[in-house]
C-alpha cells in the first residue's frame, strides 16, 4: 500500500466587519451586491417583462386622451366630434408599429433594437442618429410620465398640486433607487401596480359602458355642462392643421413600444418569442384602453380644455379642471367614492412607474453605445446589483433638470416629446426593409421566402406610416418646443461621433508595431530627488540602486543656501556611494529646474530613458494632508507629459498609517464588500519594502529637492 501525503486542511475563517455609515446606507437602499454569475437570475419572464418594458405605453392612455381633447378644444366644444377619428388613427399607427417591431425582435434579438437595425443595414451614421433620438426620448419619457402622474394625483390631493415640482423630483429619486437595486427586483416591485392599473381602468370602462348601454343610465361628466369658447375661429386649412396637431399629440400613446426591442436580452429564453408576445399584449391592452376612454368621454360629454381661465366662460365657482381619467372615475363611481380615489391613485402610480421603461431602456442602450465606443466606457459597467448604474444615474439627473426647467407642466413637456421616437421608428423600419432585401437575395426555401415577403411588407407599410407621422409631428410641433428636442439630438449626435473619434485615435496610438517586439531603451538614467538625507531618501536610493540603472545620481534644488550646505555636509559625512548634483534656482522654483535637468540628461540619445525616483511620506489621517504642500504631486503630474521619462514613487509609511482602516479603503476603491479586519489574517509573505503608490511627503522631509508633498496611501 502506498501512503499518500497528508493534504493540509483548508480552514475558512469568517471575519466580522463593521461597515462605514456610508456603506450601511448604501446597503439598506440598494441591497447586497450580486456576483457576476448571478446575471442569469435577473432575467425576466413575460409576466414581469410586461410591466417592466410596457408600463410607458400602457400608461400613455392616461395623458394621450387629455392631449387629444385639449388640442381639439382650441376650436370649441363642437370639435370634440373628431376625437373618435383621431383615436382611430392613433390605433392604426400603434397596431402597425407593434406588428413591425415583432419582426425586429425576431431578426435582431441581441438588444440593440433600432440602433442595431440602423447600424447594420444603413450604416453607423444612421445608427448614431437613431441612438441620439432614443436617448433624448428616454429622458423625456421620465419627465413627462412623472409630471403627468403628479397632475393626476393633484386632481384629488390639493397638496400635490401646489408642490408638483418637489413631488415629481422625489418620485424620480425614488425610481432611481429602486432601479439601482437591479432589474428583476424593480420588475417585481412594479408588476402589481401595473396590473392593478389595467384592472382598475378596465373595470371603470366596463362599468361605465355597462351603465350606459345595459342599464340605460345617462352619465354626465362634471365638465359636461360647462360653456366653453374657442380660442380661435378654425375653418378650412386651419382646421386640417389643428386635426394634424391633435393627432401628433395623441401619438404620444406610441412611446415605449421600442423599449421592448432594446430589452430583448433581459427576457428569459426563448427571448425573441417572449418579446414578440409581450409586444402583442402591450398593443392589445393599450389600444383597448385608449379607445375605451375616448368612447366613454364622448358618451359622458366630457370636456377638457387647454386654458380653463380663458376658454371656460360659464361654470361653477372655483372650478378646477381635473384630468380625463379622474373625471371619468367621478362620473362612473360618483364624487367622493373610494373607487374614485383608487382610479386617481392607480393612474398616478402607473404614470410614475411608466418612467421605469426608460430606466431599463436608457442604461441598456447606453451600455451598447459604450461598447461600440460612442459613449464613455463607464456606461458599460454594471454596478453592485448588476444594473448599469451610471446610465441610470445620468437618466435621472437629466430628467430632473427637465422637470425643474418646465415646472412639471405636461402640456409644455409633451411638445418636446415623440419626435425622437418617430425618428427611430422610421429609420428602423427603413433598415428592416434593406435587411429583408438582403436576406431574399440568398434565401432559396419557398416557405422562408414567403415569410420574408410578408415581413418586408409589414415593415414597408410601417416605414411609410411612421415617416408620415414624423413629418406631421415636425410641422405641427416644431415651434411649440419640438425644436429643443431636435437641437438636443443634434448635440448628442455630434458628441457621440467625437467620442468615437477619440477612442479610435487612442486605439491607433496604442497599437503595437507590426514587428512584434518593442525596441528596448539604449540606456536607463536614474535620478533620485533629495531634500534631506533621512530614511525616505535612503530607501529611495537603495531601491534605485537595486534596479541597476546605467547611471545613477541624486539631485537637489538649491532654494536655501544653508539647507543645501547642510545636505552636502551630511552627504560627505555618510560617504554616500552616488554623487549629489545641486541645481541652482535663483527664483526658488523647484519644478522647472528639475524638468530642465531631466531633459538635458535624455537629450543626448532619444532611445535613452530617465527614471525619476521620488521619496514620499504616507500619512494615515486625512487632516495630515492639509499640513503639507503638494509640490511633489505637481512635479509628478508634470513629468508624466515628458516623453521617455518614468516616475517611481517610493513611499515611507509614518506611524499614523497603522490606524488606517485599510478594509474600508479597499471597499471604497474596488466597490466590493470588504474582506474583514486585515490584522486577523496571518500574512503569507512579507510585503515588499517599496511601492509605486502615488503619495506625498512634507516639505523638506521626503519629497523632491527643495520641497515635497503630503498625502495618504497604502503599502
Amino acid at each position: 500500500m502506498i501512503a499518500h501525503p497528508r493534504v493540509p486542511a483548508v480552514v475558512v475563517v469568517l471575519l466580522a466587519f463593521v461597515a462605514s455609515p456610508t456603506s450601511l446606507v448604501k446597503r439598506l437602499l440598494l441591497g447586497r451586491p450580486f456576483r457576476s454569475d448571478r446575471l442569469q437570475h435577473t432575467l425576466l419572464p413575460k409576466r414581469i417583462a410586461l410591466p417592466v418594458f410596457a408600463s410607458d405605453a400602457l400608461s400613455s392612455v392616461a395623458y394621450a386622451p387629455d392631449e387629444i381633447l385639449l388640442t381639439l378644444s382650441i376650436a370649441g366644444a363642437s370639435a370634440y366630434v373628431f376625437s373618435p377619428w383621431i383615436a382611430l388613427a392613433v390605433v392604426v399607427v400603434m397596431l402597425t408599429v407593434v406588428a413591425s417591431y415583432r419582426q425586429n425582435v425576431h431578426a435582431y434579438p441581441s438588444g440593440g433594437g433600432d440602433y442595431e437595425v440602423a447600424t447594420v443595414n444603413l450604416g453607423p451614421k444612421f445608427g448614431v442618429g437613431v441612438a441620439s433620438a432614443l436617448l433624448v426620448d428616454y429622458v423625456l419619457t421620465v419627465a413627462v410620465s412623472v409630471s403627468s402622474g403628479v397632475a393626476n394625483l393633484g386632481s384629488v390631493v390639493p397638496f400635490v398640486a401646489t408642490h408638483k415640482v418637489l413631488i415629481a423630483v422625489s418620485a424620480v429619486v425614488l425610481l432611481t433607487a429602486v432601479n439601482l437595486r437591479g432589474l428583476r427586483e424593480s420588475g417585481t416591485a412594479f408588476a402589481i401596480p401595473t396590473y392593478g392599473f389595467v384592472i382598475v381602468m378596465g373595470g371603470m370602462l366596463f362599468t361605465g359602458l355597462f351603465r350606459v348601454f345595459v342599464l340605460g343610465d345617462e352619465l354626465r361628466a362634471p365638465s359636461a355642462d360647462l360653456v366653453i369658447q374657442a380660442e380661435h375661429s378654425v375653418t378650412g386649412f386651419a382646421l386640417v392643421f389643428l386635426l394634424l396637431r391633435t393627432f401628433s399629440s395623441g401619438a404620444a400613446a406610441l412611446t415605449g413600444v421600442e423599449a421592448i426591442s432594446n430589452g430583448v436580452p433581459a427576457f428569459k429564453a426563448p427571448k425573441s418569442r417572449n418579446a414578440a408576445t409581450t409586444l402583442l399584449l402591450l398593443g392589445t391592452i393599450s389600444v383597448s384602453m385608449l379607445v375605451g376612454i375616448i368612447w366613454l368621454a364622448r358618451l359622458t360629454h366630457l370636456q377638457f380644455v387647454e386654458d380653463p381661465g380663458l376658454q371656460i366662460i360659464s361654470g361653477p365657482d372655483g372650478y378646477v379642471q381635473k384630468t380625463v381619467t379622474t373625471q371619468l372615475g367621478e362620473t362612473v363611481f360618483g364624487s367622493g367614492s373610494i373607487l374614485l380615489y383608487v382610479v386617481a391613485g392607480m393612474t398616478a402610480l402607473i404614470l410614475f412607474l411608466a418612467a421605469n421603461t426608460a430606466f431599463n431602456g436608457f442604461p441598456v442602450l447606453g451600455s451598447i453605445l459604450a461598447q461600440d465606443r460612442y459613449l464613455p466606457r463607464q456606461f458599460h459597467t454594471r454596478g453592485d446589483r448588476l444594473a448599469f448604474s451610471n446610465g441610470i444615474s445620468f437618466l435621472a439627473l437629466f430628467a430632473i433638470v427637465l422637470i425643474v426647467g418646465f415646472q412639471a407642466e405636461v402640456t409644455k413637456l409633451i411638445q418636446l416629446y415623440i419626435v425622437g421616437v418617430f425618428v427611430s421608428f422610421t429609420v428602423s423600419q427603413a433598415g428592416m426593409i434593406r435587411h429583408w432585401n438582403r436576406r431574399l437575395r440568398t434565401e432559396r426555401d419557398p416557405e422562408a421566402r414567403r415569410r420574408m415577403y410578408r415581413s418586408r411588407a409589414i415593415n414597408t407599410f410601417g416605414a411609410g406610416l411612421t415617416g408620415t407621422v414624423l413629418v406631421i409631428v415636425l410641422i405641427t410641433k416644431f415651434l411649440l418646443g419640438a425644436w429643443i428636442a431636435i437641437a438636443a439630438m443634434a448635440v448628442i449626435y455630434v458628441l457621440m461621433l467625437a467620442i468615437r473619434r477619440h477612442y479610435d485615435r487612442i486605439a491607433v496610438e496604442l497599437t503595437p508595431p507590426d514587428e512584434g517586439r518593442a525596441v528596448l531603451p539604449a540606456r536607463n538614467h536614474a535620478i533620485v530627488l533629495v531634500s534631506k538625507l533621512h530614511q525616505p531618501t535612503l530607501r529611495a536610493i537603495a531601491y534605485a540602486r537595486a534596479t541597476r540603472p546605467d547611471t545613477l545620481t541624486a539631485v537637489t534644488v538649491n532654494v536655501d543656501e544653508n539647507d543645501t550646505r547642510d545636505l552636502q555636509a551630511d552627504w560627505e559625512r555618510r560617504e554616500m556611494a552616488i554623487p549629489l548634483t545641486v541645481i541652482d534656482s535663483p527664483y526658488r522654483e523647484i519644478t522647472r529646474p528639475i524638468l530642465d535637468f531631466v531633459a538635458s540628461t535624455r537629450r543626448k540619445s532619444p532611445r535613452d530613458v530617465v527614471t525619476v525616483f521620488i521619496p514620499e511620506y504616507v500619512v494615515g489621517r486625512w487632516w495630515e494632508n492639509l499640513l503639507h504642500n503638494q509640490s511633489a504631486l505637481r512635479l509628478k503630474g508634470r513629468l508624466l507629459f515628458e516623453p521617455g521619462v518614468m516616475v517611481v514613487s517610493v513611499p515611507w509609511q509614518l506611524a499614523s498609517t497603522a490606524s488606517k482602516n485599510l478594509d474600508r479603503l479597499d471597499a471604497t476603491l474596488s466597490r466590493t464588500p470588504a474582506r474583514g479586519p486585515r490584522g486577523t489574517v496571518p500574512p503569507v509573505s512579507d510585503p515588499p519594502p517599496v511601492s509605486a503608490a502615488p503619495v506625498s511627503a512634507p516639505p523638506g522631509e521626503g519629497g523632491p529637492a527643495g520641497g515635497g508633498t503630503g498625502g495618504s496611501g497604502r503599502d
Side-chain angles (χ1 to χ4, degrees):
M1 177 180 292
I2 300 176
H4 293 280
R6 191 170 186 177
V7 179
V10 178
V11 180
V12 179
V13 181
L14 299 178
L15 302 174
F17 175 67
V18 180
S20 66
T22 304
S23 178
L24 285 175
V25 172
K26 181 179 180 181
R27 294 298 159 235
L28 287 173
L29 292 177
L30 305 183
R32 294 183 300 105
F34 285 158
R35 290 167 53 93
S36 297
D37 55 15
R38 284 286 307 276
L39 184 60
Q40 287 295 325
H41 297 282
T42 66
L43 298 181
L44 306 176
K46 292 190 294 293
R47 67 180 183 278
I48 301 297
L50 182 64
V52 166
F53 291 109
S55 55
D56 178 22
L58 291 176
S59 67
S60 62
V61 299
Y63 55 80
D66 295 36
E67 296 303 315
I68 291 174
L69 295 179
L70 73 83
T71 307
L72 288 174
S73 71
I74 295 174
S78 60
Y80 287 141
V81 70
F82 295 107
S83 60
W85 300 104
I86 298 294
L88 181 60
V90 173
V91 166
V92 171
V93 177
M94 173 169 279
L95 293 178
T96 301
V97 170
V98 168
S100 299
Y101 272 85
R102 281 171 59 86
Q103 317 308 314
N104 288 34
V105 298
H106 284 296
Y108 293 93
S110 60
D114 295 338
Y115 165 71
E116 182 180 4
V117 172
T119 301
V120 172
N121 297 289
L122 302 176
K125 296 273 181 81
F126 283 92
V128 174
V130 167
S132 63
L134 286 174
L135 292 177
V136 171
D137 195 73
Y138 281 137
V139 176
L140 284 166
T141 294
V142 177
V144 171
S145 297
V146 171
S147 299
S148 183
V150 171
N152 275 272
L153 192 59
S155 297
V156 293
V157 182
F159 175 82
V160 175
T162 56
H163 299 84
K164 57 185 179 181
V165 175
L166 176 62
I167 301 298
V169 171
S170 301
V172 173
V173 172
L174 180 61
L175 285 168
T176 304
V178 172
N179 277 275
L180 287 174
R181 291 187 65 90
L183 183 63
R184 188 182 182 92
E185 284 201 28
S186 63
T188 304
F190 296 161
I192 296 176
T194 302
Y195 287 125
F197 169 75
V198 173
I199 294 172
V200 168
M201 292 300 296
M204 181 188 72
L205 295 175
F206 176 80
T207 302
L209 296 174
F210 183 83
R211 289 183 60 183
V212 171
F213 291 107
V214 178
L215 301 182
D217 295 342
E218 183 180 357
L219 300 181
R220 295 187 66 81
S223 58
D225 298 322
L226 298 177
V227 178
I228 67 173
Q229 66 177 358
E231 289 188 32
H232 307 283
S233 177
V234 180
T235 58
F237 179 78
L239 178 60
V240 174
F241 185 84
L242 178 66
L243 294 178
L244 292 177
R245 178 181 162 188
T246 304
F247 168 71
S248 65
S249 296
L254 278 77
T255 57
V257 175
E258 80 290 344
I260 293 179
S261 66
N262 292 332
V264 176
F267 284 80
K268 282 190 171 182
K271 296 178 181 292
S272 296
R273 190 173 70 186
N274 287 338
T277 303
T278 305
L279 266 170
L280 183 60
L281 291 172
L282 158 68
T284 303
I285 297 173
S286 296
V287 163
S288 300
M289 289 196 295
L290 178 64
V291 171
I293 290 175
I294 293 295
W295 189 11
L296 191 57
R298 290 294 300 141
L299 292 173
T300 59
H301 307 284
L302 185 147
Q303 300 183 105
F304 192 80
V305 299
E306 184 178 39
D307 189 348
L310 177 65
Q311 293 179 262
I312 297 177
I313 60 177
S314 176
D317 294 335
Y319 175 77
V320 177
Q321 180 171 257
K322 299 179 180 179
T323 61
V324 170
T325 54
T326 304
Q327 289 192 53
L328 290 178
E330 185 174 343
T331 304
V332 173
F333 299 121
S335 178
S337 169
I338 186 63
L339 291 178
L340 168 62
Y341 289 94
V342 171
V343 170
M346 293 304 296
T347 303
L349 186 58
I350 188 61
L351 284 164
F352 289 144
L353 301 186
N356 190 61
T357 299
F359 273 105
N360 287 296
F362 184 99
V364 172
L365 179 59
S367 171
I368 295 171
L369 290 169
Q371 195 171 9
D372 290 346
R373 297 181 294 181
Y374 288 112
L375 286 181
R377 291 173 181 169
Q378 291 84 346
F379 281 86
H380 186 56
T381 305
R382 291 184 182 268
D384 286 355
R385 302 284 292 183
L386 297 179
F388 295 110
S389 306
N390 292 325
I392 292 172
S393 301
F394 268 83
L395 173 63
L397 175 63
F398 290 125
I400 289 174
V401 169
L402 282 177
I403 289 172
V404 174
F406 287 86
Q407 293 295 294
E409 291 288 345
V410 180
T411 302
K412 295 178 180 178
L413 283 168
I414 208 164
Q415 307 306 328
L416 286 67
Y417 208 18
I418 77 172
V419 177
V421 75
F422 273 98
V423 168
S424 64
F425 284 167
T426 305
V427 177
S428 172
Q429 299 315 303
M432 287 301 297
I433 295 171
R434 177 168 289 188
H435 167 80
W436 296 124
N437 288 337
R438 189 173 61 250
R439 291 285 304 276
L440 283 167
R441 284 196 293 267
T442 58
E443 182 61 55
R444 293 294 176 263
D445 180 47
E447 181 61 30
R449 288 180 65 85
R450 278 194 295 271
R451 290 196 300 268
M452 291 178 186
Y453 278 124
R454 182 191 62 191
S455 298
R456 187 179 65 174
I458 293 173
N459 288 129
T460 301
F461 183 73
L465 190 57
T466 56
T468 303
V469 176
L470 175 61
V471 173
I472 294 172
V473 170
L474 291 175
I475 293 174
T476 59
K477 289 194 170 188
F478 185 82
L479 296 178
L480 296 176
W483 66 269
I484 299 176
I486 296 172
M489 294 174 202
V491 170
I492 295 175
Y493 177 84
V494 173
L495 183 61
M496 286 197 292
L497 290 181
I499 292 173
R500 176 60 187 260
R501 284 196 298 269
H502 169 79
Y503 280 134
D504 289 345
R505 185 176 66 252
I506 296 302
V508 171
E509 289 185 22
L510 299 181
T511 302
D514 294 335
E515 300 86 69
R517 295 199 308 176
V519 179
L520 296 177
R523 305 179 71 197
N524 179 19
H525 305 282
I527 298 174
V528 180
L529 302 185
V530 177
S531 61
K532 277 189 175 182
L533 195 53
H534 48 22
Q535 291 274 43
T537 300
L538 293 175
R539 169 177 282 190
I541 292 173
Y543 182 61
R545 295 181 65 184
T547 62
R548 300 184 181 276
D550 294 285
T551 64
L552 174 60
T553 184
V555 174
T556 188
V557 178
N558 181 16
V559 295
D560 186 282
E561 292 288 345
N562 293 328
D563 289 345
T564 302
R565 282 196 295 269
D566 291 343
L567 175 61
Q568 289 175 314
D570 200 13
W571 200 270
E572 293 175 1
R573 183 178 59 82
R574 291 178 178 269
E575 299 180 351
M576 299 299 295
I578 65 173
L580 174 65
T581 301
V582 179
I583 306 175
D584 286 326
S585 180
Y587 297 99
R588 298 161 303 283
E589 186 183 3
I590 297 173
T591 303
R592 175 50 56 186
I594 291 177
L595 291 174
D596 292 340
F597 181 82
V598 170
S600 65
T601 303
R602 186 176 178 273
R603 191 176 296 126
K604 299 176 183 178
S605 174
R607 286 186 55 192
D608 290 358
V609 297
V610 177
T611 305
V612 181
F613 295 85
I614 304 179
E616 300 180 86
Y617 279 174
V618 181
V619 298
R621 303 180 182 90
W622 65 269
W623 53 265
E624 291 180 295
N625 292 302
L626 304 177
L627 303 180
H628 311 296
N629 63 51
Q630 301 295 314
S631 58
L633 187 61
R634 291 194 298 271
L635 179 59
K636 285 188 293 184
R638 181 62 182 82
L639 285 171
L640 291 176
F641 291 93
E642 294 294 323
V645 176
M646 315 299 167
V647 183
V648 178
S649 298
V650 184
W652 180 269
Q653 291 79 17
L654 294 178
S656 61
T657 59
S659 61
K660 187 73 173 178
N661 190 331
L662 301 181
D663 297 293
R664 183 182 301 177
L665 183 63
D666 288 344
T668 301
L669 295 177
S670 63
R671 301 182 69 182
T672 57
R675 297 179 300 238
R678 200 177 283 255
T680 60
V681 181
V684 176
S685 60
D686 293 331
V690 292
S691 169
V695 288
S696 307
E701 296 179 334
T709 67
S712 63
R714 48 166 300 184
D715 204 5

